[in-house]
Amino acid sequence: MDNHSIMSSDIKAEITQLKKDARAARIKDLKEKWHRFCKNRTALAGLIAILALTLIAILAPYLSKYSYDMVDPINAYASPSREHPFGTDAVGRDLFSRILYGARYSLAIALTSQAVGIILAIILGSIAGFFTGIISDLIMRFCDIFQSIPATLMAILISQAMGSGFFATTIALAVTTVPSVTRVARSLIMQIRGQDYIEAGRAITCSETRLIVQHIIPNIIPQIIISFTGGLSGKFIESASLSYLGLGIQEPLPEWGAILSSGKAYLRYYPHLVVAPGIFIMLAALAFNLVGDGIRDALDPRLRD
């Protein structure tokens, strides 16, 4: 075997070992962050609550005795009982079943809208942060315009223009996420783009798209995760607000805000119509807020034991 082959095999072995070491370091870092997250009891309680809500949404057909749209006028406005744990609404539908099925819509809207908003924000923030000039200025000025409008008002305007339903509500809530997260992504990328490894990538003629996708975005993921989880609690409130105003998910679909809206007219005489959905909205928002705070503390390198 010649010297060239020996050197090539040594280099390959060294590269393989470096990859293994890097993978082991990432796994160790993830374990450390998970351990720090688990030490935060309030964050862990929030995670347990989120898992419970997810299981409720998945197992709704098996946990409820009635269909969410089953009408029984004879039992309208029934108070909570063993047969109907949360009572019934104006047309005799079982509120317990509607709350369980409603978890599907509320969780899906919150998670989907936040994910879509984050993805759009990463794309815009990457363009604005990596490329300077008129493109960056235009993106940031549009963000200024949209951010000057309160998030709930913006969601109302978009929902009013697009109509009600799952898709329209998701887009309306996603748009409210974009301006603030775009700013975060842009500021992070502007700090990274001057690093030595980015300059090295340019020196070996890496394309700008490859630099952004493979070398810049992975380094801002921890902060993006914090923005994602931190904003979910607000999405529950905004989604419920739209449905409450008649702009989000509409009857007979059992979204929590829609259930709350349908019972508001009878609050004085039948408070159970709004108490149950209100509690679930509050618990979901609180749980995601606790988890978001826990993830932020776990990923913050300044908070070391």
Side-chain angles (χ1 to χ4, degrees), residues 113 116-117 120 146 154 158 170-179 235:
S113 63
V116 171
L120 291 175
F146 279 94
M154 174 62 71
I158 296 173
T170 299
I171 296 301
L173 297 180
V175 170
T176 63
T177 300
V178 173
K235 291 296 175 247

Side-chain angles (χ1 to χ4, degrees), residues 47 64 86 97 147 208 230 238 254 271 283:
L47 179 60
S64 58
F86 294 163
S97 299
Q147 204 165 13
E208 293 173 337
E238 292 174 14
L283 288 176

